[in-house]
Amino acid sequence: MSGFLILAFLFSVGSLAGWGLEVLFRRFFSAKRWINPGFLAGPCLPLYGFSLCLLYLMAGLESLLPIETDWLRKGLLFLIMSLCITAVEYIAGLIFIKHMNIKLWDYSNEWGNINGIICPLFSFFWAVLGAVYYFGIHPHIVDALRWLADNLAFSFCIGFFYGIFVIDFVYSTNLAAKIRGFAAEKNIVMKYEELKEHIRDFKRERHEKAQFLMSMHSSAPISRHLKEYYEKHRDEYGRIAEKLKKKM
């Protein structure tokens, strides 16, 4: 199987599995309820897809590390994996903040955070996931991919995933452009998860049917939600602006 197909498959698996992992984490550890996480409307988190591809590529570099002791070499590998994925997380978060005026996640309350985008706690989680991948998945992944490549359903599943992914990406990007326009006009950075929570509250108040997927969709236009959200958090944004002025 070509390297491109391997990475395409890993991206799809990582995006879907990462989404499921985030759903469970938020349900049982952070938000304590079922939440559709991420930027896209459907069950996909591209950050995890890119991360799984990165783990696959980096696992093959272990032999290049100049350490003879096996456990030290693996420990260094997991540390490097964690740092690389943290860097990807930081770049992705920064791109959305600087160019889209949207903050997809917020670690501002976590110790040692940088701009609320990354923090040591979640970097540690990335290292744990790297170890889980290395010991539990990587040794079997090539054989599994060969088996899948010999079945026609494999190509169909890959094509189906990317077809849905493109549609979802176009829809979500169009929505993000509207949010960006409003946020740029108000000179603020919109917190995406808080906006989704605002829309969920709007639906509950009007007894609209809850939608786990397409959670940003409601009977009201997005422009109304943006205005109401801003009015609700106007004081908070004012305090943020004052802090920035003092730093300058």
Side-chain angles (χ1 to χ4, degrees):
M1 183 186 291
S2 70
F4 174 78
L5 287 178
I6 290 175
L7 293 177
F9 178 72
L10 289 175
F11 178 83
S12 63
V13 170
S15 297
L16 292 169
W19 179 86
L21 188 64
E22 282 282 344
V23 168
L24 294 175
F25 179 81
R26 296 181 188 220
R27 171 61 182 85
F28 295 105
F29 297 99
S30 59
K32 302 292 185 180
R33 60 181 179 274
W34 296 109
I35 293 176
N36 179 21
F39 164 66
L40 299 177
C44 178
L45 283 178
L47 177 63
Y48 282 85
F50 286 118
S51 298
L52 185 58
C53 292
L54 191 60
L55 290 176
Y56 170 78
L57 295 172
M58 295 188 67
L61 300 178
E62 182 187 1
S63 60
L64 300 179
L65 297 177
I67 299 177
E68 295 184 2
T69 306
D70 185 63
W71 68 271
L72 279 177
R73 186 172 62 253
K74 286 180 171 54
L76 178 59
L77 177 66
F78 301 150
L79 176 61
I80 294 173
M81 285 177 170
S82 172
L83 292 175
C84 289
I85 297 176
T86 297
V88 171
E89 185 180 27
Y90 184 76
I91 292 170
L94 199 61
I95 287 173
F96 269 87
I97 290 174
K98 295 295 185 182
H99 298 284
M100 300 297 292
N101 289 68
I102 296 173
K103 199 167 193 177
L104 292 179
W105 58 85
D106 190 6
Y107 298 154
S108 297
N109 295 325
E110 299 292 340
W111 175 82
N113 75 85
I114 299 177
N115 299 328
I117 303 174
I118 58 174
C119 67
L121 177 61
F122 283 88
S123 294
F124 169 74
F125 288 153
W126 285 124
V128 172
L129 287 175
V132 170
Y133 168 81
Y134 180 88
F135 291 111
I137 301 174
H138 191 71
H140 314 289
I141 202 163
V142 175
D143 291 336
L145 288 171
R146 286 200 187 102
W147 181 87
L148 289 168
D150 292 334
N151 292 270
L152 292 176
F154 169 73
S155 298
F156 173 79
C157 290
I158 290 291
F160 181 77
F161 168 83
Y162 281 101
I164 298 298
F165 175 77
V166 169
I167 294 172
D168 193 353
F169 184 80
V170 171
Y171 166 81
S172 300
T173 301
N174 182 56
L175 180 63
K178 295 178 181 178
I179 297 173
R180 178 186 180 276
F182 180 86
E185 178 185 339
K186 301 296 184 181
N187 195 28
I188 61 174
V189 174
M190 189 73 67
K191 293 183 179 181
Y192 201 69
E193 292 298 328
E194 286 188 358
L195 178 60
K196 288 201 292 188
E197 181 63 28
H198 173 80
I199 295 175
R200 281 192 290 269
D201 291 340
F202 175 89
K203 292 179 181 179
R204 282 194 293 267
E205 291 173 1
R206 286 155 183 77
H207 304 289
E208 293 185 21
K209 184 178 179 181
Q211 292 175 292
F212 186 65
L213 303 179
M214 301 289 291
S215 56
M216 296 287 281
H217 178 74
S218 77
S219 59
I222 187 65
S223 57
R224 174 178 173 179
H225 291 305
L226 291 169
K227 290 177 183 177
E228 290 181 352
Y229 171 86
Y230 176 72
E231 289 300 323
K232 182 178 179 181
H233 296 274
R234 182 191 291 270
D235 292 341
E236 178 186 347
Y237 283 118
R239 289 192 295 271
I240 293 173
E242 286 298 322
K243 287 182 181 178
L244 291 176
K245 287 181 180 178
K246 290 179 180 179
K247 290 181 179 180
M248 295 174 63

